[in-house]
Amino acid sequence: MQWTLLNAAPDLRAQIVATAALHPQGGLRSSPIAAVVLTGGEVDQVAGLLNLRERQPFTLFATAETLGILKTNPIFDVLAHHVVKRRAIAIGVPFDLPGGMQATLFAVPGKVPLYLEGSAATLAGGAESNVGVEIRASGA
């Protein structure tokens, strides 16, 4: 079974340890986590990505703005670009997730992450800063 995570909280490692279905299935460093959907670039949404650095492939789905935040912080280079696919998702455009699910991002009120306030004029808290996710599967 493949799993999709919504955000990657700082305690992601503890969540994985506590959830047998997320334990390695085919080897010590294998993972059933096939995708992560980020709803923004706050620390509480992205810090757990550092727990997924074991060179296991997965796809990271986020708005172009959120992916840009990760790109400007070299610590996230531990997610090797040739292993972890990054897909920029536009607001309102449906996209497929592992396991036969489909998702659509929609804008929600918010602002840029606190740690970025005042750091770049281009990160002004636009429509891509914070998003919600509508998920559909099997007609529901």
Side-chain angles (χ1 to χ4, degrees):
M1 175 179 238
Q2 293 182 317
W3 287 77
T4 296
L5 304 180
L6 296 178
N7 293 318
D11 68 342
L12 180 57
R13 178 169 166 64
Q15 292 177 31
I16 291 170
V17 168
T19 308
L22 296 177
H23 293 179
Q25 306 295 316
L28 182 59
R29 294 181 185 252
S30 67
S31 173
I33 298 170
V36 178
V37 179
L38 297 176
T39 62
E42 287 286 356
V43 170
D44 287 341
Q45 295 164 311
V46 302
L49 290 172
L50 300 176
N51 292 298
L52 301 176
R53 67 188 187 284
E54 302 296 339
R55 303 192 67 76
Q56 292 297 310
F58 67 93
T59 303
L60 186 57
F61 296 94
T63 64
E65 184 173 321
T66 297
L67 290 177
I69 290 169
L70 297 180
K71 185 175 183 178
T72 62
N73 188 333
I75 197 167
F76 291 104
D77 287 344
V78 299
L79 302 172
H81 289 267
H82 66 283
V83 177
V84 177
K85 297 176 192 167
R86 290 148 174 87
R87 285 211 31 222
I89 304 297
I91 301 289
V93 177
F95 59 100
D96 293 327
L97 293 171
M101 297 182 295
Q102 189 176 61
T104 304
L105 302 181
F106 57 92
V108 297
K111 59 184 184 62
V112 298
L114 183 62
Y115 65 93
L116 290 176
E117 285 183 357
S119 66
T122 58
L123 298 174
E128 290 190 354
S129 293
N130 299 281
V131 298
V133 184
E134 178 184 351
I135 297 176
R136 293 172 302 286
S138 303

